[in-house]
Structures are given as C-alpha cells and as structure tokens.
Amino acid sequence: MVDERVRVRFAPSPTGYLHIGGARTALFNWLFARHHGGAFILRIEDTDRERSTEASARAITDTLRWLGLDWDEGPEKGGPVGPYFQSERLDLYRREAQRLLEADRAYPCYCTVEELEERRQEARNRGLPPRYDGRCRHLTEAERRRLESDGRRPALRIKAPETGQTVVQDLIRGTVVFENEKTLDDFVIMKSDGWPTYNFACAVDDAHMRISHVIRAEEHLSNTPKQMILCEALGYAVPRFAHVPMILAPDRSKLSKRHGAVAVEEFREAGYLPEAIINYLALLGWSPGDDREIMPVHEVISLFSLDRVNKTAAIYAVEKLKWVNGVYIRVADLDRLVDLLIPRLQRAGYLPAPVDAPTRERVRQILAVGRERARTLGEMPELFSYFFVEPAGYDEKGMRKYFNPETAEILSQAREVLAGVEPFVPETIETAYRALAERLGIPAAQVIHPTRLALTGRTVGPGLFDIILLLGRETVLARLSRAIDFIRANRG
RNA sequence: GGCCCCAUCGUCUAGAGGCCUAGGACACCACUCUUUCAAGGUGGCGGCCCGGGUUCGAAUCCCGGUGGGGUCACCA
C-alpha cells in the first residue's frame, strides 16, 4: 500500500549524541515511512544556540546513516520544503510570529528571565502550579514604549485559551483530553533574542513541511496541546500524533549516562552490528504479533504498524541486545566481519598497519572457527589474542588440572607427533593425536586439554585441531616446548 | 504539588471476554551433543499490582486505590 501523503520526520536537537531512545524514535518514523512508501524527513532543531553544535549534528547524521536509517529530505540532501536546519528558517518563524501579533493572538512580554524564575519559585513555595500570570497581556502602548526604552527586549507570548479543552487524538494512546485552564498558559513562542522556542518552531515546521504524522517520544505528549493551539491560531491543519513509549533505564528512571552505554555510537564502538541494533530496537515497544524475534529489516518494514506499538515504557537491558548481536555475528558475511575486525586487531597491536593477503585470509579463518563464541566484535581481539601473540600465562585452574609431570611427558610425545605429521591439516592431526592417545592407553581428552592450555594459555576455545592449523607447525612446536619447560620448572 | 500517560515472568513481549492449566524470547538452572567453551537440542524456574464491580464467564470491560513514568523553562 502506498500512501504518498505519508510524511514523517525525526527532529533531533544537536546537543549530544544519538542515544538509544532517539534512535528508536527515528526507527519507528523510518519504518512507518518505508511501510507506507512515504517520506522520512530529518530536521535539525538547533534553536538552542547555547547547546547546539555542528559536531553533534554531524555525529547524529553519521549514526543514523550507519544504522541504515536513510532520509529522503534533510541535511546534505535538501528537499522541497527546506532548509532543514531550524537555524536557517528564522525568517519563517519571524513572519509567522508577526502574523500572530497582527492578529492579536500574541503579545510582547517584557518580564525578565530572573523575574519569571522568582515568581515561579514563589508559586511553588505556596504549592501553586507555576504558570505565567499574563501580566504583560494588557500593557498599553505607552507602557510598552517605556519598557522598551528601559532597554528591555520583549519575548513573544501566545494568547492561550483560558477555558475549554484541547483533545489529542493519539494513534497510540487514543483520546487524551487536556483542560486548557489547567494545562495552558501564555507560553513564549519567540525568545527575546529573536529565536523561536521549541513548540513554536516545531508547530510551524511540521505544518510547512507538510508532516502528516508526528511520531515522537511520550515525553512530548504534554506539549501537544500547545502545538495544537498554535496550529489553530496560525490556521494550520493539525497533523496526526503518535506518542511512543519511553525507554527507561533498569532502575526505571530516565536513561542517562550513569546507566552505562546509551549512545548508539558507544554500541558501535563496542562492536555491535547495525542490523542487530535495529532488530533489537524494533522489538522494544513493537512486536510482529507472533513469536518471531530475529527479523531482517525488510520484514519489519512490511509488518510495521503504529497500532501494534504498545503503550508501556520499556526498560532497556543490554543482555538481549547482546544475544541478538551474537545471532547476527554468526550469520554475517565473513569478509565484512574481517573488514570490521582488522582495525580492532591493529589497535590491539596484534596486526601491522598494512595487512597483506595471507594475513587477511588467516583472520578470515580465525573468524570462521571463532565467531560463534563472541557476541560482539569488541570481545574478539581478547578472545583471539593467542592467535597473534604468545599466551601471557596459563589459566590457573587449567594448570592445576592439566599441568603435571605426567602431562609434560604426554605433551612431549604430542610434540613429536606434531613435528612429523603430514600433511599438516586438521584431519591428519586429529588422526595422529587419537592414535597417540591409544598408544598411551588414555582418552584423547587427556592429550587434547593439556595441549590447548599449552598453546593458548586457556581451557576454552575453538576445536583444538583448528587452533593447531591456524597457529602453524612452527608456533605449535615452540609453544609446546615452552609449556613443557614451564611444567618441569614449576610443577615438577 | 497540578496535569497527563502507563501497569502480564527479573527484562522484552503475545494476549483485543471463553482458544489461558497465561504462549514466546533474553537471562538463570539442569540435562544432552561434545576434546573444552560456544552454538544447537530438551526440560525447569518464573508473571496477569491490589480491591471492588459488569458478566454464565475476566489478564482482557468499568470504577477506585497503589505503584511507576512523563510534564509543568525565553531547553528541546
């Protein structure tokens, strides 16, 4: 089904990195647009001149691109209703504000930030809701001129309705009724510095960008009446609203830095695959309705609908993301994983800067036998370290179990076998190893375990014969000798 | 505090009055496969916030409580 009129937007403010909640909001917008064949628009809400940075805007667009959430209109791409940075749309806001002023739907307010803060504090102390009292609403022309000549720069406030109610028809929440008297006051639409406030810029842009559906986090639900009365005052059609549940930290509080990784960029650095993050996020607050958990994104697109988005805030826990990521690592294209892993191995000092073809092939083989043991790319350098450097030591429990005079003898015989086996491939090595065990009258495991410890320093890992092949004969023989010497010196 | 939203296993969720003895997934615990680990397979643990209604029948509908969250800026 293609509805050309579906136009949705993701509108981050560039004051930090894209966090997991923002990414999920972007994802739902994107899924909705793609499902309906509509347009996904990216708008940068940089009206907070103190906190907005270009670096942050770039970080956010980079991350969205990395996640595969491509936009049809927005930064770097343009579009028919741009510009897509609010800082470049000031003329529009001023024009629209002027219209409200002329229609007597707005008025200049000369109260200072300090005065307002003081009054709010006072109201709070008296247990009253901190609302603007509308004192500048009825200023005479003369009073305005006097205040202005005092050097006061006015902000602009909307004349909000004092009675009646504003009803939001939310696609996820249903009908939400707000009593104007209790929820609205004459809020600021243009700051005294001539820049628009969030609610004003948002309402103006959503209308001028012909946004059909505003899909955003639930924290904006209580802003919606404000934007609706602005639409009414400006003569705009009201978009459809859908407020998606919030993503909370494990302690049920709002997600923040102290809860560990929350920025998508951090997950990228930790070695999560974008498709895994997308899959996980899609399932946070939405489900296909059956028991499916692992779904390629095109399937999510075809199944996605707002009425399957639930209303309950979801607690974000990394465990399931890890599992999803592990699943995707197991099925990912091997060459792609090689490309992703090589820089990490270089950073760990395990590989030289230019990687030659044989080395690349070796990394590929290590991944082939080792990837199912990792849940993130980030774990891999440590997990595979012994393929690149000598084991720094031997696992404590492993030594107690597998290193003793008897195993030193076994290892030395195993070394002889490995020195002679031809060709040096897993099948022949395994056959030779099992023959040795038989000759010694012991289970193969009693040869295998000490060997693994000697070669890797660990008791866990891929199949021993794969390890031996990937280490190469020379390294294997050297590490066995070293282990045998170690045992005789320390555990004899 | 006012206003608004929400409420199913620890977590993510299925559930739109009888299909529910509440299903799946992650995590956890066993067992299994196996040279170890991982992956896989099998099984287990574990939940409808509480109280009233409505109904022959309520996880599902209504009301009230409780709990959690959001929001009340010249931040977005």
Side-chain angles (χ1 to χ4, degrees), chain A residues 150-221:
Chain A
D150 280 354
R152 292 210 182 198
R153 308 264 305 147
L156 226 54
R157 287 181 184 272
I158 184 78
K159 284 188 179 173
E162 289 161 296
T163 58
Q165 42 189 214
T166 302
V167 180
V168 181
Q169 295 293 347
D170 192 278
L171 262 15
I172 293 171
R173 317 259 140 201
T175 303
V176 184
V177 180
F178 293 88
E179 298 295 333
N180 291 157
E181 189 196 347
K182 292 184 169 178
T183 48
L184 293 174
D185 64 357
D186 290 351
F187 57 93
V188 171
I189 56 175
M190 292 293 279
K191 308 176 205 172
S192 55
D193 64 3
W195 285 58
T197 58
Y198 160 73
N199 281 116
F200 186 60
C202 184
V204 169
D205 284 345
D206 284 341
H208 285 258
M209 293 181 172
R210 302 195 303 276
I211 299 302
S212 62
H213 296 72
V214 172
I215 302 170
R216 66 200 350 178
E218 197 198 327
E219 58 189 317
H220 292 292
L221 183 53

Side-chain angles (χ1 to χ4, degrees), chain A residues 169-434:
Chain A
Q169 295 293 347
D170 192 278
L171 262 15
I172 293 171
R173 317 259 140 201
T175 303
V176 184
V177 180
F178 293 88
E179 298 295 333
N180 291 157
E181 189 196 347
K182 292 184 169 178
T183 48
L184 293 174
D185 64 357
D186 290 351
F187 57 93
V188 171
I189 56 175
M190 292 293 279
K191 308 176 205 172
S192 55
D193 64 3
W195 285 58
T197 58
Y198 160 73
N199 281 116
F200 186 60
C202 184
V204 169
D205 284 345
D206 284 341
H208 285 258
M209 293 181 172
R210 302 195 303 276
I211 299 302
S212 62
H213 296 72
V214 172
I215 302 170
R216 66 200 350 178
E218 197 198 327
E219 58 189 317
H220 292 292
L221 183 53
S222 36
N223 277 322
T224 308
K226 295 183 183 176
Q227 294 173 202
M228 286 174 72
I229 66 154
L230 287 173
C231 286
E232 189 275 319
L234 257 2
Y236 298 155
V238 178
R240 309 271 272 156
F241 291 103
H243 288 92
V244 307
M246 313 250 322
I247 296 179
L248 268 26
D251 65 358
R252 301 205 123 276
S253 68
K254 211 169 170 180
L255 218 43
S256 77
K257 287 258 192 298
R258 73 191 161 86
H259 298 108
V262 293
V264 175
E265 198 53 33
E266 293 175 88
F267 288 100
R268 180 182 186 174
E269 278 159 23
Y272 288 85
L273 267 16
E275 64 268 37
I277 295 176
I278 291 289
N279 193 148
Y280 172 77
L281 250 25
L283 258 26
L284 219 53
W286 175 85
S287 84
D290 55 30
D291 291 339
R292 267 179 299 177
E293 303 276 346
I294 300 296
M295 308 176 66
V297 70
H298 68 264
E299 238 168 82
V300 179
I301 289 173
S302 72
L303 259 28
F304 187 80
S305 84
L306 250 20
D307 44 53
R308 288 208 60 82
V309 173
N310 62 212
K311 304 175 183 175
T312 321
I315 290 175
Y316 149 76
V318 78
E319 275 308 318
K320 191 156 182 173
L321 205 210
K322 274 191 182 162
W323 170 76
V324 173
N325 201 57
V327 172
Y328 279 95
I329 280 183
R330 269 175 260 143
V331 301
D333 176 77
L334 217 43
D335 283 304
R336 175 180 168 221
L337 290 184
V338 171
D339 288 336
L340 292 170
L341 184 58
I342 283 176
R344 291 172 183 273
L345 292 171
Q346 287 168 330
R347 249 180 287 147
Y350 295 158
L351 287 182
V355 171
D356 59 20
T359 304
R360 190 188 154 81
E361 177 55 25
R362 184 157 176 268
V363 171
R364 192 184 144 93
Q365 285 170 5
I366 289 168
L367 272 164
V369 303
R371 65 164 150 182
E372 73 180 24
R373 288 164 182 80
R375 299 204 291 179
T376 63
L377 258 2
E379 299 170 355
M380 291 184 179
E382 153 63 18
L383 203 56
F384 302 151
S385 65
Y386 52 82
F387 285 116
F388 305 98
V389 291
E390 291 269 317
Y394 301 104
D395 178 79
E396 272 299 326
K397 277 162 103 176
M399 278 197 285
R400 281 199 294 277
K401 207 164 168 190
Y402 303 123
F403 278 5
N404 55 56
E406 197 186 329
T407 53
E409 183 49 34
I410 293 171
L411 285 177
S412 116
Q413 296 213 29
R415 189 179 182 286
E416 270 177 52
V417 167
L418 289 169
V421 67
E422 287 298 344
F424 197 73
V425 295
E427 295 72 33
T428 54
I429 297 168
E430 178 161 7
T431 306
Y433 243 68
R434 293 196 185 278

Side-chain angles (χ1 to χ4, degrees), chain A residues 47-245:
Chain A
T47 54
D48 183 342
R49 290 187 297 165
E50 304 274 293
R51 298 192 301 148
S52 297
T53 67
E54 255 177 67
S56 167
R58 197 162 38 248
I60 290 168
T61 54
D62 283 351
T63 303
L64 286 172
R65 233 189 312 266
W66 178 73
L67 285 171
L69 303 181
D70 56 316
W71 51 98
D72 305 298
E73 299 171 27
E76 295 163 53
K77 197 147 186 190
V81 294
Y84 295 87
F85 284 83
Q86 290 188 326
S87 57
E88 296 170 18
R89 300 170 66 80
L90 296 180
D91 286 350
L92 208 213
Y93 308 131
R94 285 169 190 162
R95 252 189 343 262
E96 294 299 77
Q98 190 57 36
R99 270 178 62 207
L100 289 176
L101 208 49
E102 282 161 14
D104 197 29
R105 301 295 299 260
Y107 61 91
C109 168
Y110 296 87
C111 301
T112 65
V113 179
E114 293 73 28
E115 288 166 351
L116 292 166
E117 180 52 40
E118 198 175 308
R119 282 178 226 151
R120 259 197 302 277
Q121 203 49 255
E122 196 178 317
R124 256 191 277 266
N125 290 155
R126 293 166 54 191
L128 296 169
R131 318 176 68 239
Y132 180 65
D133 57 14
R135 66 176 62 193
C136 291
R137 199 161 170 161
H138 306 292
L139 255 29
T140 62
E141 230 7 86
E143 286 170 318
R144 283 178 185 155
R145 265 196 302 276
R146 185 177 53 75
L147 285 160
E148 220 136 319
S149 66
D150 280 354
R152 292 210 182 198
R153 308 264 305 147
L156 226 54
R157 287 181 184 272
I158 184 78
K159 284 188 179 173
E162 289 161 296
T163 58
Q165 42 189 214
T166 302
V167 180
V168 181
Q169 295 293 347
D170 192 278
L171 262 15
I172 293 171
R173 317 259 140 201
T175 303
V176 184
V177 180
F178 293 88
E179 298 295 333
N180 291 157
E181 189 196 347
K182 292 184 169 178
T183 48
L184 293 174
D185 64 357
D186 290 351
F187 57 93
V188 171
I189 56 175
M190 292 293 279
K191 308 176 205 172
S192 55
D193 64 3
W195 285 58
T197 58
Y198 160 73
N199 281 116
F200 186 60
C202 184
V204 169
D205 284 345
D206 284 341
H208 285 258
M209 293 181 172
R210 302 195 303 276
I211 299 302
S212 62
H213 296 72
V214 172
I215 302 170
R216 66 200 350 178
E218 197 198 327
E219 58 189 317
H220 292 292
L221 183 53
S222 36
N223 277 322
T224 308
K226 295 183 183 176
Q227 294 173 202
M228 286 174 72
I229 66 154
L230 287 173
C231 286
E232 189 275 319
L234 257 2
Y236 298 155
V238 178
R240 309 271 272 156
F241 291 103
H243 288 92
V244 307

